[in-house]
Amino acid sequence: DVPELRALIGEVAAEQLERSGSDDPRGVSAALRVCFTRLMKSEKKFFVDQLNMLVKRISQEAAEGKDTSGSNGELLLRLHSQYPGDIGCFTIYFLNLVRLEPGEAMFLGANEPHAYLHGDCVEVMACSDNTVRAGLTPKFIDVLTLCEMLNYTPAPSSSKILPATQSQLDPHVYLYDPPVPDFTIMRIEIPASIKLYLISAMDSASILLVIQGTAVGTSTAAASEMSLRRGSVLFVSANESISLHLSSPEGMLLFRACCLL
């Protein structure tokens, strides 16, 4: 549906993808790998010319009041305005567009490509020294490594959504527990009616991030009281608990990154 993208991928690779049926996931993955790799390895002048043609076409269609959603027109124009001439503008046609509402979360496994487009989020990841980028960034780009390491298994965006479950031990704690043992995130919502709250000790160390509210914290590991407010970050040692004396009328919202041993 996007002729400029098809020109970059080439007819052979495009037809291979079109022939791949949903009953053959390996064939689809192989075709996606070929298409994505051909895109990312395109000669710069060629992909810039095709990108300019795409942007011009979408801009004209939008000006005429036509529906450009089939080409992700609104997103394409926004990305191009932020990263003009960037190959990453074409990658939107290989990815799902996911809109998360407050309190929602998603989990991405190793080697899954993604890009944050707008808004703020709390992110936690396992220890890693191999974050690889290929577009939409001013940072170092390594196209060859990225194309080799990516997971090309297609999946609907709904399969990536990670629901929160309320803790059975504390009704103010909601768990985002991904299908890996490396980490878990807790959302702690303390209502304004509570003025003293205990953040319980855990077997692992954790990191506490204050999103909303103010409090004074005390713990056996701290030499003095800690003043906490929006943006405060605490390292909490294993087996350390923290008492919060709330002072804000709106309560508190905190996130805790930890490992459930």
Side-chain angles (χ1 to χ4, degrees):
D1 296 333
V2 184
E4 298 84 358
L5 174 63
R6 192 180 185 97
L8 289 175
I9 291 172
E11 284 299 318
V12 174
E15 291 175 1
Q16 179 184 351
L17 181 60
E18 289 174 337
R19 289 195 303 269
S20 302
S22 58
D23 57 341
D24 180 19
R26 289 189 177 182
V28 175
S29 296
L32 283 172
R33 176 187 289 271
V34 172
C35 290
F36 187 81
T37 302
R38 285 187 63 89
L39 167 68
M40 298 306 295
K41 291 184 177 180
S42 300
E43 182 182 350
K44 184 171 184 178
K45 184 181 183 307
F46 186 34
F47 83 67
V48 169
D49 288 343
Q50 293 297 324
L51 180 57
N52 288 337
M53 290 170 58
L54 175 60
V55 170
K56 181 179 179 180
R57 176 172 66 83
I58 296 298
S59 298
Q60 289 176 344
E61 291 177 357
E64 295 169 1
K66 296 180 179 179
D67 181 12
T68 63
S69 59
S71 299
N72 276 348
E74 182 181 352
L75 176 58
L76 173 78
L77 295 180
R78 177 151 58 92
L79 289 181
H80 187 260
S81 69
Q82 296 170 332
Y83 299 95
D86 193 303
I87 189 69
C89 294
F90 278 109
T91 62
I92 62 175
Y93 301 114
F94 289 87
L95 305 175
N96 294 307
L97 182 60
V98 183
R99 291 181 174 88
L100 293 177
E101 297 297 328
E104 292 185 328
M106 65 187 300
F107 170 75
L108 296 169
N111 300 330
E112 293 194 44
H114 58 280
Y116 296 115
L117 298 176
H118 178 74
D120 297 319
C121 67
V122 174
E123 179 189 23
V124 117
M125 65 182 289
C127 293
S128 172
D129 62 355
N130 65 341
T131 299
V132 181
R133 302 173 178 87
L136 303 180
T137 178
K139 299 179 181 179
F140 177 73
I141 288 175
D142 188 345
V143 171
L144 296 180
T145 299
L146 182 83
C147 291
E148 286 297 320
M149 68 186 290
L150 282 187
N151 172 15
Y152 291 94
T153 304
S157 58
S158 58
S159 67
K160 307 298 179 182
I161 302 301
L162 184 66
T165 58
Q166 192 172 27
S167 171
Q168 296 180 350
L169 301 177
D170 186 340
H172 306 302
V173 174
Y174 296 83
L175 300 174
Y176 300 93
D177 194 16
V180 293
D182 305 75
F183 54 80
T184 296
I185 289 183
M186 297 179 177
R187 186 177 86 239
I188 305 174
E189 296 182 352
I190 310 172
S193 58
I194 295 179
K195 297 304 178 184
L196 179 61
Y197 180 82
L198 180 67
I199 296 179
S200 59
M202 300 183 62
D203 293 334
S204 74
S206 59
I207 297 173
L208 197 67
L209 171 64
V210 180
I211 299 296
Q212 174 184 302
T214 57
V216 174
T218 58
S219 81
T220 54
S224 60
E225 293 183 340
M226 299 167 288
S227 179
L228 303 178
R229 59 179 58 85
R230 175 179 171 86
S232 297
V233 180
L234 286 182
F235 174 80
V236 184
S237 302
N239 303 314
E240 175 189 2
S241 60
I242 297 178
S243 296
L244 296 180
H245 299 262
L246 279 70
S247 56
S248 53
E250 72 273 22
M252 290 195 79
L253 173 62
L254 309 97
F255 283 89
R256 186 179 191 179
C258 57
C259 179
L260 298 179
L261 300 177

